[in-house]
Amino acid sequence: MTTKIEAIQKPQQAKSTVRKLAWVSPLAMLAAIIANLGLYAAAGAVYPEVTAWQGAGVGQIVGANIVYLLIGTFVFALVARFSAKPARHYLILATIGLLLSLVLPISAGFGYGAPGTIAPGMATVVTLSLMHVISYAISVPLFNRLVLA
């Protein structure tokens, strides 16, 4: 049973979380986009096949970061609202999401990509997988530390 104080604090905490997410989420997106484009450019300089593969480009990298981090923001808001231990629970959910997201670049490497695309080489698969890890490594700590602080 909740007390009156707890019942009042929960909506106020939810409003505070949404207010913080309004600036932390775009910050995480921007940081992840910059880091991933940097990795993409560096990997492309060393392994030209990375930037030559038609399945990934600057537009896809920017778009994917925005879409996936919007999903992450929505999940974080739900976890922060309903969980007694939001940082821990979000870390667990985000880690599961990261592992599931790695299925896409790895399966593309085995030839199960979009129809009409050539299977990427190992350097491209590793680069794409690292991009997922970079987005995770940037966004999860930002959400947990800046929003829940």
Coordinates of all heavy atoms in Angstrom, one line a residue, residues 60-127:
Q60 N 21.7 5.8 -43.7 CA 21.2 4.7 -43.0 C 21.8 4.7 -41.5 O 21.1 4.4 -40.6 CB 21.7 3.3 -43.6 CG 20.9 3.0 -44.9 CD 21.7 3.5 -46.1 OE1 22.5 4.4 -46.1 NE2 21.5 2.8 -47.2
I61 N 23.0 5.2 -41.3 CA 23.6 5.2 -40.0 C 22.9 6.3 -39.2 O 22.5 6.0 -38.0 CB 25.1 5.5 -40.1 CG1 25.8 4.3 -40.7 CG2 25.7 5.9 -38.7 CD1 27.2 4.6 -41.1
V62 N 22.6 7.5 -39.7 CA 21.9 8.5 -39.0 C 20.5 8.1 -38.7 O 20.0 8.2 -37.6 CB 22.0 9.8 -39.8 CG1 21.0 10.9 -39.2 CG2 23.4 10.4 -39.9
G63 N 19.8 7.6 -39.7 CA 18.4 7.1 -39.5 C 18.3 6.0 -38.5 O 17.4 6.0 -37.6
A64 N 19.2 5.0 -38.6 CA 19.1 3.9 -37.6 C 19.3 4.4 -36.2 O 18.7 3.9 -35.3 CB 20.1 2.8 -38.0
N65 N 20.3 5.2 -36.0 CA 20.6 5.7 -34.7 C 19.4 6.5 -34.1 O 19.0 6.3 -33.0 CB 21.8 6.7 -34.7 CG 23.1 5.9 -34.5 OD1 23.4 5.5 -33.4 ND2 23.8 5.7 -35.6
I66 N 18.8 7.3 -34.9 CA 17.6 8.1 -34.5 C 16.5 7.1 -34.1 O 15.9 7.2 -33.0 CB 17.2 9.1 -35.5 CG1 18.2 10.2 -35.6 CG2 15.8 9.7 -35.2 CD1 18.0 11.2 -36.7
V67 N 16.1 6.2 -35.0 CA 15.0 5.3 -34.7 C 15.3 4.4 -33.5 O 14.4 4.3 -32.6 CB 14.7 4.4 -36.0 CG1 13.8 3.3 -35.7 CG2 14.2 5.3 -37.1
Y68 N 16.4 3.8 -33.5 CA 16.7 2.8 -32.4 C 16.8 3.6 -31.0 O 16.4 3.0 -30.0 CB 17.9 2.0 -32.6 CG 17.7 1.0 -33.7 CD1 18.6 0.8 -34.8 CD2 16.6 0.2 -33.8 CE1 18.4 -0.1 -35.8 CE2 16.4 -0.7 -34.8 CZ 17.3 -0.9 -35.8 OH 17.1 -1.8 -36.8
L69 N 17.4 4.7 -31.0 CA 17.5 5.5 -29.8 C 16.1 6.1 -29.3 O 15.9 6.3 -28.2 CB 18.6 6.5 -29.8 CG 20.0 5.9 -29.8 CD1 21.1 6.9 -29.9 CD2 20.2 5.0 -28.6
L70 N 15.3 6.3 -30.3 CA 13.9 6.7 -29.9 C 13.2 5.6 -29.2 O 12.5 5.8 -28.2 CB 13.1 7.2 -31.2 CG 13.3 8.6 -31.6 CD1 12.6 8.9 -32.9 CD2 12.9 9.6 -30.5
I71 N 13.4 4.4 -29.8 CA 12.8 3.2 -29.1 C 13.4 3.0 -27.7 O 12.7 2.8 -26.8 CB 13.0 1.9 -30.0 CG1 12.2 2.0 -31.3 CG2 12.7 0.7 -29.2 CD1 12.6 1.0 -32.3
G72 N 14.7 3.2 -27.6 CA 15.4 3.1 -26.3 C 14.9 4.1 -25.3 O 14.7 3.9 -24.1
T73 N 14.6 5.3 -25.8 CA 14.1 6.4 -25.0 C 12.7 6.0 -24.5 O 12.4 6.2 -23.3 CB 14.0 7.7 -25.8 OG1 15.3 8.1 -26.2 CG2 13.4 8.9 -24.9
F74 N 11.9 5.5 -25.3 CA 10.5 5.1 -24.9 C 10.6 4.0 -23.9 O 9.9 4.0 -22.9 CB 9.7 4.7 -26.2 CG 8.3 4.2 -25.9 CD1 7.3 5.1 -25.5 CD2 8.0 2.9 -26.0 CE1 6.0 4.7 -25.2 CE2 6.7 2.4 -25.7 CZ 5.7 3.3 -25.3
V75 N 11.4 3.0 -24.1 CA 11.6 1.9 -23.2 C 12.1 2.4 -21.9 O 11.6 2.0 -20.8 CB 12.5 0.8 -23.8 CG1 12.9 -0.3 -22.7 CG2 11.8 0.1 -24.9
F76 N 13.1 3.3 -21.9 CA 13.6 3.9 -20.7 C 12.5 4.6 -19.9 O 12.5 4.5 -18.7 CB 14.8 4.8 -21.0 CG 15.4 5.4 -19.7 CD1 16.4 4.7 -19.1 CD2 15.0 6.6 -19.2 CE1 16.9 5.2 -17.9 CE2 15.5 7.2 -18.1 CZ 16.5 6.5 -17.4
A77 N 11.7 5.4 -20.6 CA 10.7 6.1 -19.9 C 9.7 5.2 -19.2 O 9.3 5.4 -18.1 CB 9.9 7.0 -20.9
L78 N 9.3 4.1 -19.9 CA 8.5 3.1 -19.2 C 9.1 2.4 -18.0 O 8.5 2.2 -17.0 CB 8.1 2.0 -20.3 CG 7.1 2.5 -21.4 CD1 6.9 1.3 -22.4 CD2 5.8 2.9 -20.8
V79 N 10.4 2.0 -18.2 CA 11.1 1.4 -17.1 C 11.2 2.4 -15.9 O 11.0 2.0 -14.8 CB 12.5 0.9 -17.5 CG1 13.3 0.4 -16.4 CG2 12.3 -0.2 -18.5
A80 N 11.6 3.6 -16.2 CA 11.7 4.6 -15.1 C 10.4 4.8 -14.4 O 10.4 5.1 -13.2 CB 12.3 5.9 -15.7
R81 N 9.3 4.7 -15.1 CA 8.0 5.0 -14.5 C 7.5 3.8 -13.7 O 6.9 4.0 -12.6 CB 7.0 5.3 -15.6 CG 5.5 5.4 -15.2 CD 5.3 6.7 -14.5 NE 3.9 6.9 -14.1 CZ 3.4 6.7 -12.9 NH1 4.2 6.4 -11.9 NH2 2.1 6.9 -12.7
F82 N 7.8 2.6 -14.1 CA 7.2 1.5 -13.4 C 8.1 0.6 -12.6 O 7.7 -0.3 -11.9 CB 6.4 0.6 -14.5 CG 5.3 1.3 -15.1 CD1 5.3 1.7 -16.4 CD2 4.1 1.6 -14.4 CE1 4.3 2.3 -17.0 CE2 3.1 2.2 -15.0 CZ 3.1 2.6 -16.3
S83 N 9.4 0.8 -12.7 CA 10.3 0.0 -12.0 C 10.8 0.6 -10.7 O 11.0 1.8 -10.6 CB 11.6 -0.3 -12.9 OG 12.6 -1.0 -12.2
A84 N 11.1 -0.3 -9.7 CA 11.6 0.1 -8.4 C 13.1 0.3 -8.6 O 13.7 1.1 -7.8 CB 11.3 -0.9 -7.4
K85 N 13.8 -0.4 -9.5 CA 15.2 -0.2 -9.8 C 15.4 0.1 -11.3 O 15.8 -0.8 -12.0 CB 15.9 -1.5 -9.4 CG 15.9 -1.8 -7.9 CD 16.6 -3.1 -7.6 CE 16.6 -3.4 -6.2 NZ 17.3 -4.7 -5.8
P86 N 15.1 1.3 -11.7 CA 15.1 1.5 -13.2 C 16.4 1.4 -13.8 O 16.5 0.9 -14.9 CB 14.5 3.0 -13.3 CG 14.7 3.6 -11.9 CD 14.6 2.4 -10.9
A87 N 17.5 1.8 -13.2 CA 18.8 1.8 -13.8 C 19.2 0.3 -14.1 O 19.6 0.0 -15.2 CB 19.9 2.4 -12.9
R88 N 19.0 -0.5 -13.1 CA 19.4 -2.0 -13.3 C 18.5 -2.6 -14.3 O 18.9 -3.3 -15.2 CB 19.2 -2.7 -12.0 CG 19.5 -4.2 -12.1 CD 19.7 -4.8 -10.7 NE 19.7 -6.2 -10.7 CZ 20.7 -7.0 -11.2 NH1 21.8 -6.4 -11.8 NH2 20.7 -8.3 -11.2
H89 N 17.2 -2.4 -14.2 CA 16.3 -3.0 -15.2 C 16.4 -2.5 -16.6 O 16.4 -3.3 -17.6 CB 14.8 -2.8 -14.7 CG 14.5 -3.5 -13.4 ND1 13.5 -3.2 -12.6 CD2 15.1 -4.6 -12.9 CE1 13.5 -4.0 -11.6 NE2 14.5 -4.9 -11.7
Y90 N 16.7 -1.2 -16.8 CA 17.0 -0.7 -18.1 C 18.3 -1.3 -18.7 O 18.4 -1.6 -19.8 CB 17.0 0.8 -18.1 CG 17.2 1.4 -19.5 CD1 16.2 1.3 -20.5 CD2 18.5 1.9 -19.9 CE1 16.4 1.7 -21.8 CE2 18.6 2.4 -21.2 CZ 17.6 2.3 -22.1 OH 17.8 2.7 -23.4
L91 N 19.3 -1.4 -17.8 CA 20.6 -2.0 -18.3 C 20.3 -3.4 -18.8 O 20.8 -3.8 -19.9 CB 21.6 -2.0 -17.1 CG 22.9 -2.6 -17.4 CD1 23.7 -1.9 -18.5 CD2 23.8 -2.7 -16.2
I92 N 19.5 -4.2 -18.1 CA 19.2 -5.5 -18.5 C 18.5 -5.5 -19.9 O 18.8 -6.2 -20.8 CB 18.4 -6.3 -17.4 CG1 19.3 -6.5 -16.2 CG2 17.8 -7.6 -18.0 CD1 18.6 -7.0 -15.0
L93 N 17.4 -4.7 -19.9 CA 16.6 -4.6 -21.2 C 17.5 -4.1 -22.4 O 17.4 -4.6 -23.5 CB 15.4 -3.8 -21.0 CG 14.3 -4.4 -20.2 CD1 13.2 -3.3 -19.9 CD2 13.7 -5.6 -20.8
A94 N 18.3 -3.1 -22.1 CA 19.1 -2.6 -23.2 C 20.2 -3.6 -23.6 O 20.5 -3.7 -24.8 CB 19.8 -1.3 -22.7
T95 N 20.7 -4.4 -22.7 CA 21.7 -5.4 -23.1 C 21.0 -6.5 -23.9 O 21.6 -6.9 -25.0 CB 22.3 -6.0 -21.8 OG1 22.9 -5.0 -21.1 CG2 23.3 -7.1 -22.2
I96 N 19.8 -6.9 -23.6 CA 19.0 -7.8 -24.4 C 18.8 -7.2 -25.8 O 18.9 -7.9 -26.8 CB 17.7 -8.2 -23.7 CG1 18.0 -9.1 -22.5 CG2 16.8 -9.0 -24.7 CD1 16.8 -9.3 -21.5
G97 N 18.4 -5.9 -25.8 CA 18.2 -5.3 -27.1 C 19.4 -5.2 -27.9 O 19.4 -5.4 -29.2
L98 N 20.6 -5.0 -27.3 CA 21.8 -4.9 -28.0 C 22.1 -6.3 -28.7 O 22.4 -6.4 -29.8 CB 23.0 -4.5 -27.1 CG 24.4 -4.7 -27.7 CD1 24.6 -3.8 -28.9 CD2 25.5 -4.5 -26.6
L99 N 22.0 -7.4 -27.9 CA 22.2 -8.7 -28.4 C 21.3 -9.0 -29.5 O 21.7 -9.6 -30.5 CB 22.1 -9.7 -27.3 CG 23.2 -9.6 -26.2 CD1 22.9 -10.6 -25.0 CD2 24.6 -9.8 -26.7
L100 N 20.0 -8.7 -29.4 CA 19.1 -8.9 -30.5 C 19.4 -8.1 -31.7 O 19.3 -8.6 -32.9 CB 17.6 -8.6 -30.1 CG 17.1 -9.6 -29.0 CD1 15.7 -9.1 -28.6 CD2 16.9 -11.0 -29.6
S101 N 19.9 -6.9 -31.5 CA 20.2 -6.0 -32.7 C 21.4 -6.5 -33.5 O 21.6 -6.2 -34.6 CB 20.5 -4.6 -32.2 OG 21.7 -4.4 -31.6
L102 N 22.3 -7.3 -32.8 CA 23.5 -7.8 -33.5 C 23.1 -8.9 -34.5 O 23.9 -9.2 -35.4 CB 24.5 -8.3 -32.5 CG 25.1 -7.2 -31.6 CD1 26.0 -7.9 -30.6 CD2 25.9 -6.3 -32.5
V103 N 21.9 -9.4 -34.4 CA 21.4 -10.4 -35.3 C 21.4 -9.9 -36.8 O 21.8 -10.6 -37.7 CB 20.0 -11.0 -35.0 CG1 19.4 -11.8 -36.0 CG2 20.1 -11.7 -33.6
L104 N 21.1 -8.6 -36.9 CA 21.0 -8.0 -38.3 C 22.3 -8.0 -39.0 O 22.4 -8.5 -40.1 CB 20.3 -6.6 -38.2 CG 18.9 -6.6 -37.7 CD1 18.4 -5.1 -37.5 CD2 18.0 -7.2 -38.8
P105 N 23.4 -7.3 -38.4 CA 24.6 -7.3 -39.2 C 25.2 -8.7 -39.4 O 25.8 -9.0 -40.4 CB 25.5 -6.4 -38.4 CG 24.9 -6.3 -37.1 CD 23.5 -6.5 -37.2
I106 N 25.1 -9.5 -38.4 CA 25.7 -10.9 -38.4 C 25.0 -11.7 -39.5 O 25.6 -12.4 -40.3 CB 25.7 -11.6 -37.1 CG1 26.7 -10.8 -36.1 CG2 26.1 -13.0 -37.2 CD1 26.6 -11.2 -34.7
S107 N 23.6 -11.7 -39.5 CA 22.9 -12.4 -40.5 C 23.2 -11.9 -41.9 O 23.2 -12.7 -42.9 CB 21.4 -12.5 -40.2 OG 20.9 -11.2 -40.3
A108 N 23.3 -10.6 -42.0 CA 23.7 -10.0 -43.4 C 25.0 -10.6 -43.8 O 25.2 -10.8 -45.0 CB 23.7 -8.5 -43.3
G109 N 25.9 -10.7 -42.9 CA 27.3 -11.3 -43.2 C 27.2 -12.7 -43.7 O 28.0 -13.2 -44.5
F110 N 26.1 -13.5 -43.3 CA 25.9 -14.8 -43.8 C 25.0 -14.9 -45.0 O 24.6 -15.9 -45.5 CB 25.3 -15.7 -42.7 CG 26.3 -16.1 -41.6 CD1 26.2 -15.5 -40.4 CD2 27.3 -17.0 -41.9 CE1 27.1 -15.9 -39.4 CE2 28.2 -17.4 -40.9 CZ 28.1 -16.8 -39.7
G111 N 24.7 -13.7 -45.6 CA 23.9 -13.6 -46.8 C 22.4 -13.5 -46.6 O 21.7 -13.6 -47.6
Y112 N 22.0 -13.3 -45.4 CA 20.6 -13.1 -45.1 C 20.2 -11.7 -44.9 O 19.4 -11.3 -44.1 CB 20.2 -13.9 -43.9 CG 20.4 -15.4 -44.0 CD1 21.4 -16.0 -43.4 CD2 19.5 -16.1 -44.8 CE1 21.7 -17.4 -43.5 CE2 19.8 -17.5 -45.0 CZ 20.8 -18.1 -44.3 OH 21.0 -19.5 -44.5
G113 N 20.7 -10.8 -45.8 CA 20.4 -9.4 -45.7 C 19.2 -9.0 -46.6 O 18.4 -9.9 -46.9
A114 N 19.1 -7.8 -46.9 CA 17.9 -7.3 -47.7 C 18.0 -7.9 -49.1 O 19.1 -8.1 -49.6 CB 18.0 -5.8 -47.8
P115 N 16.9 -8.2 -49.7 CA 16.9 -8.7 -51.1 C 17.6 -7.8 -52.0 O 17.5 -6.6 -52.0 CB 15.4 -8.8 -51.4 CG 14.7 -8.8 -50.1 CD 15.5 -8.0 -49.2
G116 N 18.5 -8.4 -52.9 CA 19.2 -7.6 -53.9 C 20.5 -7.0 -53.4 O 21.2 -6.4 -54.2
T117 N 20.8 -7.2 -52.1 CA 22.1 -6.7 -51.7 C 23.1 -7.9 -51.6 O 22.8 -9.0 -51.3 CB 22.0 -6.1 -50.3 OG1 21.5 -7.0 -49.3 CG2 21.1 -4.8 -50.3
I118 N 24.3 -7.5 -51.9 CA 25.4 -8.5 -51.8 C 25.8 -8.6 -50.3 O 25.8 -7.7 -49.6 CB 26.6 -8.0 -52.6 CG1 26.2 -7.9 -54.1 CG2 27.8 -9.0 -52.4 CD1 27.2 -7.2 -54.9
A119 N 26.1 -9.8 -49.9 CA 26.5 -10.0 -48.5 C 27.8 -9.2 -48.2 O 28.7 -9.2 -49.0 CB 26.8 -11.5 -48.2
P120 N 27.8 -8.5 -47.1 CA 29.0 -7.7 -46.7 C 30.2 -8.6 -46.3 O 30.0 -9.8 -45.9 CB 28.5 -6.9 -45.5 CG 27.5 -7.7 -44.9 CD 26.8 -8.4 -46.0
G121 N 31.4 -8.1 -46.4 CA 32.5 -8.8 -45.9 C 32.7 -8.7 -44.4 O 31.9 -8.0 -43.7
M122 N 33.7 -9.4 -43.9 CA 33.9 -9.5 -42.5 C 34.1 -8.1 -41.9 O 33.6 -7.8 -40.8 CB 35.1 -10.4 -42.2 CG 35.3 -10.6 -40.7 SD 33.9 -11.3 -39.8 CE 34.1 -13.0 -40.3
A123 N 34.9 -7.3 -42.5 CA 35.2 -5.9 -42.0 C 33.9 -5.1 -41.9 O 33.8 -4.4 -40.9 CB 36.2 -5.2 -42.9
T124 N 33.0 -5.3 -42.8 CA 31.8 -4.5 -42.8 C 30.9 -5.0 -41.6 O 30.3 -4.3 -40.9 CB 31.0 -4.6 -44.1 OG1 31.9 -4.2 -45.1 CG2 29.8 -3.8 -44.1
V125 N 30.8 -6.3 -41.5 CA 30.0 -6.9 -40.4 C 30.6 -6.5 -39.0 O 29.8 -6.1 -38.1 CB 30.0 -8.5 -40.5 CG1 29.4 -9.1 -39.3 CG2 29.3 -8.9 -41.8
V126 N 31.9 -6.5 -38.9 CA 32.5 -6.1 -37.6 C 32.2 -4.6 -37.4 O 31.9 -4.2 -36.3 CB 34.0 -6.4 -37.6 CG1 34.7 -5.8 -36.4 CG2 34.2 -7.9 -37.6
T127 N 32.3 -3.8 -38.4 CA 32.1 -2.4 -38.3 C 30.6 -2.1 -37.9 O 30.4 -1.3 -37.0 CB 32.4 -1.6 -39.6 OG1 33.8 -1.9 -39.9 CG2 32.2 -0.1 -39.4

